[in-house]
Amino acid sequence: MEVEEIYRRDLNLLVALRILVEERSVSRAAMRLNLSQSAMSRVLGRLRDLLADPLFSRQGQSLIPTEKALSVNRALDEPLASLQQMLAPSDFNPGTCDHTFTIATTDYAMQTILPFALPRIYQEAPQVAFDFQPLQNEQLKEQLTYGRADLAICRPSNPIDTLHHQTLGRVGVQCLVSHQHPLAGTSMTLDDYLRFPHAMIAISDGVKALIESALADKPKRRMVLRAYHLEAALAIIDTMPLIITVPADLAYLVAERHQLVVKSLPFHFTPFDYSMIWHPRCEYSPEHEWLRRVVEEECGKLIAKRVEDIQLDQIRP
């Protein structure tokens, strides 16, 4: 197609397609584009004519995009990002930024990583706001693409080839026991680890699957508690010989707060990478670039210090 022919097409329709795919709703897309619902419906009709495809089917209150709609939307990533960069003001000032950032993350990151970046963030940009959302591991791509999350901070447990990412550092694993535990004053062997009851917490960011993989040829552990919050395990850790396996830096923070004993894993475990992940649509946004830089510098520095403090660097893959 010649450039002149592209000029004669209404390329605003492609922006409307992106919004429709993200919102899955004509009314919500109309609100974002400051249109009436009837005007948005006409835009959808013109899009269908332009692309010669129904683009969406209705399921309940939601619009389900066709393969053609998803394919065109993916193809828009790079050109729309380039246009955003080209048209955005070049003199970004975090001091006047009032953007609301939506961050998808885990309880682990909320307790042990992000709080250490927030003071600098608000020092540089006192008017920004944050909306923290629970991370949906199995739907991470969809959460960043259609859920309108700006950034995810987690251990990616599924392929993220279509997303951008930056490793913040490496995270190891340690165990927690009470001072009354039979192992509190002695080294923990593999037999000990397999013999005593365990608690696994969802805060642990996929640690359970990694532990099970490392112990694939060993007897199953006796799991007496699975919970979303660490407090459930802490409530009974003094009443039974419980072992709680969590990311190493979290273990040290919890041990200090609750007078617990930290024990090393009695088997080889490869530390895992912790990352921030974002959709290509955010790649060239000045406010997003600033946020990622601060998170990388502050959280990366924090993780590196903890790696040194707990001698994680002595553990080799």
Side-chain angles (χ1 to χ4, degrees):
M1 180 182 293
E2 298 294 334
V3 172
E4 293 84 354
E5 180 62 23
I6 296 176
Y7 175 77
R8 287 188 283 271
R9 304 295 178 96
D10 185 356
L11 298 184
N12 282 334
L13 292 174
L14 298 177
V15 177
L17 176 66
R18 166 57 58 91
I19 302 301
L20 282 164
V21 170
E22 289 181 356
E23 294 294 343
R24 310 293 178 98
S25 163
V26 170
S27 59
R28 290 198 298 270
M31 290 178 61
R32 284 183 64 184
L33 294 175
N34 199 27
L35 296 173
S36 67
Q37 186 165 340
S38 59
M40 193 69 221
S41 296
R42 290 194 294 273
V43 167
L44 177 55
R46 292 166 62 196
L47 264 169
R48 286 168 167 160
D49 291 340
L50 175 67
L51 299 175
D53 188 87
L55 298 178
F56 298 91
S57 60
R58 184 167 293 282
Q59 182 174 310
Q61 298 298 313
S62 297
L63 295 178
I64 307 302
T66 65
E67 286 301 316
K68 178 65 174 287
L70 293 174
S71 175
V72 173
N73 185 59
R74 285 192 295 268
L76 289 172
D77 284 343
E78 186 173 345
L80 285 181
S82 297
L83 284 170
Q84 286 177 311
Q85 181 187 35
M86 180 176 63
L87 298 174
S90 57
D91 54 345
F92 172 72
N93 178 9
T96 60
C97 177
D98 60 357
H99 187 79
T100 297
F101 296 100
T102 301
I103 311 293
T105 191
T106 61
D107 283 348
Y108 163 67
M110 283 296 298
Q111 288 198 38
T112 64
I113 297 177
L114 280 170
F116 297 88
L118 289 176
R120 178 179 164 190
I121 287 172
Y122 279 108
Q123 183 180 22
E124 294 186 13
Q127 299 181 62
V128 301
F130 285 94
D131 178 8
F132 292 110
Q133 298 182 350
L135 184 84
Q136 301 168 15
N137 270 309
E138 298 301 319
Q139 289 82 40
L140 178 58
K141 287 184 182 180
E142 289 77 7
Q143 195 171 14
L144 289 170
T145 304
Y146 309 123
R148 296 171 59 189
D150 301 307
L151 191 68
I153 299 178
C154 63
R155 179 188 74 85
S157 56
N158 291 297
I160 54 172
D161 48 291
T162 60
L163 302 171
H164 294 198
H165 72 281
Q166 173 71 46
T167 299
L168 296 174
R170 309 198 80 201
V171 176
V173 170
Q174 301 277 21
C175 300
L176 290 169
V177 299
S178 74
H179 281 279
Q180 290 74 44
H181 197 287
L183 300 176
T186 185
S187 297
M188 180 168 60
T189 67
L190 178 57
D191 286 342
D192 293 331
Y193 187 80
L194 297 173
R195 178 164 52 96
F196 284 97
H198 285 261
M200 183 56 63
I201 314 301
I203 195 175
S204 303
D205 237 306
V207 165
K208 176 178 178 292
L210 296 174
I211 294 289
E212 289 179 348
S213 176
L215 297 175
D217 59 342
K218 300 293 187 297
K220 291 284 187 182
R221 293 174 295 159
R222 185 161 72 93
M223 196 67 61
V224 300
L225 178 68
R226 301 177 193 270
Y228 281 102
H229 301 290
L230 189 59
E231 285 74 12
L234 295 177
I236 61 171
I237 196 169
D238 286 328
T239 62
M240 66 185 307
L242 194 66
I243 297 174
I244 309 174
T245 307
V246 293
D249 46 355
L250 177 61
Y252 278 87
L253 288 174
V254 172
E256 183 178 349
R257 293 172 188 165
H258 297 275
Q259 292 77 54
L260 302 177
V261 180
V262 178
K263 312 294 285 186
S264 297
L265 283 179
F267 55 89
H268 175 75
F269 181 89
T270 302
F272 54 87
D273 288 336
Y274 219 73
S275 304
M276 60 178 174
I277 307 165
W278 62 96
H279 191 271
R281 65 184 167 82
C282 299
E283 175 70 8
Y284 299 109
S285 166
E287 60 264 30
H288 289 87
E289 288 183 315
W290 165 79
L291 177 66
R292 293 196 302 268
R293 176 174 54 80
V294 173
V295 170
E296 179 185 1
E297 290 176 1
E298 293 301 310
C299 295
K301 180 170 57 180
L302 174 73
I303 293 175
K305 182 180 184 303
R306 289 175 176 168
V307 165
E308 181 180 355
D309 289 346
I310 65 179
Q311 299 182 327
L312 183 62
D313 53 341
Q314 296 180 11
I315 303 174
R316 301 299 180 191

